[in-house]
Amino acid sequence: MTTEIVLGAAMKKSAMETSAPSPSNKPSSTGMRWWDARRTFVLLSFLGLTVAYMVRVCLSIAIVAIVKKNVTTDISDSNDTCPLPDGAITDNDVGGEYEWDDHIQAILLGAFFYGYTVSNFPGGRVAEYFGPRLTVGLGILVPSVLTLLSPLCIYTSPVLFIVLRVLEGMTQGVTFPAMHFMMSAWVPPKDKAKYWSLLGSGMQIGTVVAMSVGGWLCSTTFLGGWPSVFYVFGGLGVIWAIPWFLLIHDLPEHHPRISDAELQYILEHRHYAKRDKVVAIPWRHIATSPPFWAIMASSFCYNYSFYTLLTELPTYFNKILHFDMSTNGLSSALPYIVQCLASVSWGMFVDILQKRNVLSVKTVRRLSTSLALYSSAVCLIGMMWVNCDPTVAMVVMCLAVGLIGPIGSGSPVSEQDIAPNLAGTLKGLTNTLGSATGFVAPAVTGAITKGNHTVSAWNTVFVIAAIFNVIFCTIYVIFVTDKVQPWNDSEPKKISVSVIPQ
């Protein structure tokens, strides 16, 4: 039955009135149960992002086993390449069974992001109209089902596989805007650094699992070797959807098992956001908003660096450092283990400082983003001096990727700060540009390294990412704010939002 969402300004008022003015009765997070509704939301969101990134990254690791490697053509200049390790295979044709050149591989690695880019903005609006629970759930379930069909498409035609990857990206693109919109209702501003660092670590865990377990699966005969990567990761996404749809609700006000203390805490400490009407998009105000463009700048450089490393690290390890397949997966995953640890530990650290009123929300956003992007840029430039030393290269790359972790407490949650009513729409806009780098980065890398897999060519790839980090991070630091913008309370559209009974 269709009902109109009523978000209680009245409920909030009632909660305020039932609480005595004495400090002892003031709602606080410490007075809630040890496991509350928000923790369930964060846990399942974390697992959802883990699955989403396993689905997204699986091709980056599987492609090394799928594609036939021609050793002679991969090494174009003996004076600018790393020597093959002792005992390495030197036959011309080794590896997989498909002869896809660098251009085709770049298209395949970027195809997911063609669809992903298109659906980010619509995803934010869909979440605002129909609810983020349904949008997030389908945004992870549908691409997981499509992933199960990947081996069949690969066997049939690379063109069909490209189409499938575009569809996967298109259906998964709605996930992040919807999840950010959901967080604006469930998580007060001062709790975002901690909760998003925990929730967002699913991105790194998913990457680690895809690269380590995926690399191992490719080296086995289980379900045919590399096809098992798609079957296992896609199947996990289908399983995840069951508890998500059973336990998660759009708003804390709708949750049948949330405690009174937790509900009161959320309502009193979050930026109040209207949900009875969908807010119209104030295009002119957004287009002329310096804080919005600051967030957009950070989204671009962060995503460009992240996707350059995410999609290309397996290829870099394989063609430059000459890791074999069984080593490649685990070694490629190490930087993301460091990133996960950095993200969670930094989020906990700044949460403690915020609780003690040492840092403001704005300072946390600036500090987290600066630490992530500037330090990562230094490490990327440092790759120019590691040459062919695999140990040093791994250490520097772990730092370059790992030090991006603190950004989870920074710019990725800024949309919720400046316009909680439009958090889904704004994340859709910023993530559209950011996700476009998912196919731009592989295309740039492919153009630089095509027929030229040399140390200097890959150094160029890393330096470009570093320069972007420095320039656009500086723009973010100068113009960002944590203040809710006046256009957040734009005139609502005169419609009712349908909610599927939960």
Side-chain angles (χ1 to χ4, degrees):
M1 177 179 180
T2 301
T3 60
E4 184 175 307
I5 300 177
V6 179
L7 174 68
M11 180 179 289
K12 180 180 178 182
K13 179 180 179 181
S14 174
M16 293 282 288
E17 292 173 349
T18 56
S19 178
S22 64
S24 59
N25 289 335
K26 185 177 180 180
S28 69
S29 58
T30 58
M32 291 180 283
R33 296 177 299 189
W34 75 275
W35 187 268
D36 52 36
R38 283 182 302 165
R39 287 181 171 84
T40 301
F41 162 65
V42 169
L43 175 61
L44 287 177
S45 296
F46 159 80
L47 294 175
L49 289 184
T50 299
V51 170
Y53 267 73
M54 287 162 61
V55 166
R56 183 182 305 194
V57 178
C58 60
L59 178 60
S60 296
I61 191 68
I63 198 169
V64 180
I66 294 172
V67 176
K68 183 180 295 185
K69 175 185 176 184
N70 189 292
V71 175
T72 301
T73 58
D74 282 344
I75 302 177
S76 58
D77 184 352
S78 59
N79 295 323
D80 195 19
T81 58
C82 295
L84 290 171
D86 294 338
I89 299 175
T90 56
D91 293 338
N92 280 350
D93 295 324
V94 296
E97 55 192 288
Y98 293 92
E99 297 182 353
W100 296 339
D101 61 24
D102 290 338
H103 178 66
I104 293 177
Q105 292 181 55
I107 294 176
L108 285 167
L109 291 171
F112 178 96
F113 298 98
Y114 286 105
Y116 189 80
T117 301
V118 169
S119 62
N120 263 268
F121 172 68
R125 292 305 279 176
V126 166
E128 291 166 6
Y129 274 86
F130 300 106
R133 167 183 171 269
L134 179 64
T135 309
V136 172
L138 293 180
I140 296 176
L141 173 62
V142 175
S144 297
V145 173
L146 293 174
T147 298
L148 295 172
L149 303 175
S150 294
L152 176 62
C153 293
I154 292 173
Y155 292 141
T156 303
S157 164
V159 175
L160 183 60
F161 185 44
I162 290 172
V163 172
L164 180 77
R165 291 289 292 178
V166 171
L167 290 175
E168 285 183 18
M170 189 176 297
T171 51
Q172 195 182 109
V174 304
T175 304
F176 267 86
M179 192 166 286
H180 277 265
F181 182 61
M182 200 168 188
M183 276 194 69
S184 69
W186 276 94
V187 182
K190 286 191 174 182
D191 294 335
K192 291 187 191 298
K194 175 179 68 175
Y195 280 112
W196 180 254
S197 66
L198 292 171
L199 187 159
S201 65
M203 295 183 287
Q204 291 87 45
I205 297 298
T207 303
V208 168
V209 172
M211 289 186 168
S212 55
V213 177
W216 173 75
L217 287 172
C218 286
S219 65
T220 69
T221 58
F222 177 65
L223 296 177
W226 62 259
S228 64
V229 175
F230 300 101
Y231 295 141
V232 171
F233 296 163
L236 289 175
V238 175
I239 295 172
W240 166 88
I242 298 173
W244 175 266
F245 284 113
L246 289 177
L247 301 176
I248 300 302
H249 300 267
D250 285 322
L251 297 168
E253 296 90 326
H254 292 168
H255 201 294
R257 295 174 299 279
I258 191 171
S259 68
D260 293 339
E262 182 183 9
L263 178 60
Q264 190 173 352
Y265 172 77
I266 293 172
L267 292 177
E268 290 193 3
H269 291 84
R270 73 184 179 190
H271 287 319
Y272 181 67
K274 298 176 181 177
R275 293 292 188 268
D276 56 327
K277 303 289 184 182
V278 176
V279 174
I281 303 176
W283 288 112
R284 181 174 63 84
H285 294 294
I286 293 175
T288 56
S289 171
F292 169 75
W293 287 106
I295 300 169
M296 186 75 85
S298 175
S299 178
F300 171 78
C301 67
Y302 158 63
N303 280 282
Y304 185 89
S305 296
F306 183 74
Y307 287 130
T308 295
L309 300 175
L310 181 70
T311 59
E312 303 299 335
L313 269 185
T315 302
Y316 172 74
F317 286 141
N318 183 264
K319 293 189 175 182
I320 299 300
L321 301 181
H322 307 299
F323 287 1
D324 61 37
M325 191 59 232
S326 60
T327 304
N328 189 24
L330 180 59
S331 300
S332 299
L334 285 176
Y336 298 96
I337 296 174
V338 177
Q339 187 181 78
C340 180
L341 294 174
S343 176
V344 174
S345 59
W346 178 258
M348 295 296 187
F349 174 66
V350 295
D351 179 67
I352 292 172
L353 295 182
Q354 282 185 289
K355 291 291 192 299
R356 296 178 179 178
N357 294 319
V358 175
L359 297 177
S360 66
V361 172
K362 182 178 179 179
T363 302
V364 168
R365 301 291 183 261
R366 283 176 163 176
L367 184 61
S368 301
T369 304
S370 299
L371 175 62
L373 296 180
Y374 288 145
S375 59
S376 181
V378 171
C379 294
L380 286 169
I381 293 175
M383 287 296 295
M384 298 178 64
W385 288 276
V386 303
N387 293 321
C388 297
D389 188 321
T391 302
V392 176
M394 180 56 62
V395 171
V396 175
M397 192 58 71
C398 282
L399 291 174
V401 177
L403 289 173
I404 296 178
I407 202 171
S409 301
S411 60
V413 292
S414 288
E415 296 93 344
Q416 301 172 43
D417 293 334
I418 67 172
N421 287 352
L422 293 159
T425 295
L426 294 188
K427 177 54 69 173
L429 290 171
T430 58
N431 220 34
T432 294
L433 177 63
S435 58
T437 63
F439 57 81
V440 172
V444 171
T445 302
I448 294 172
T449 62
K450 184 178 181 181
N452 184 35
H453 280 285
T454 60
V455 172
S456 60
W458 278 92
N459 285 343
T460 301
V461 172
F462 298 139
V463 169
I464 289 174
I467 292 173
F468 284 160
N469 278 8
V470 172
I471 293 174
F472 292 105
C473 179
T474 302
I475 294 173
Y476 175 84
V477 170
I478 293 173
F479 294 106
V480 75
T481 181
D482 65 325
K483 303 301 182 185
V484 176
Q485 301 300 290
W487 42 267
N488 175 64
D489 296 315
S490 160
E491 183 68 24
K493 290 189 174 181
K494 306 247 181 235
I495 63 169
S496 296
V497 183
S498 297
V499 178
I500 298 175
Q502 303 175 17

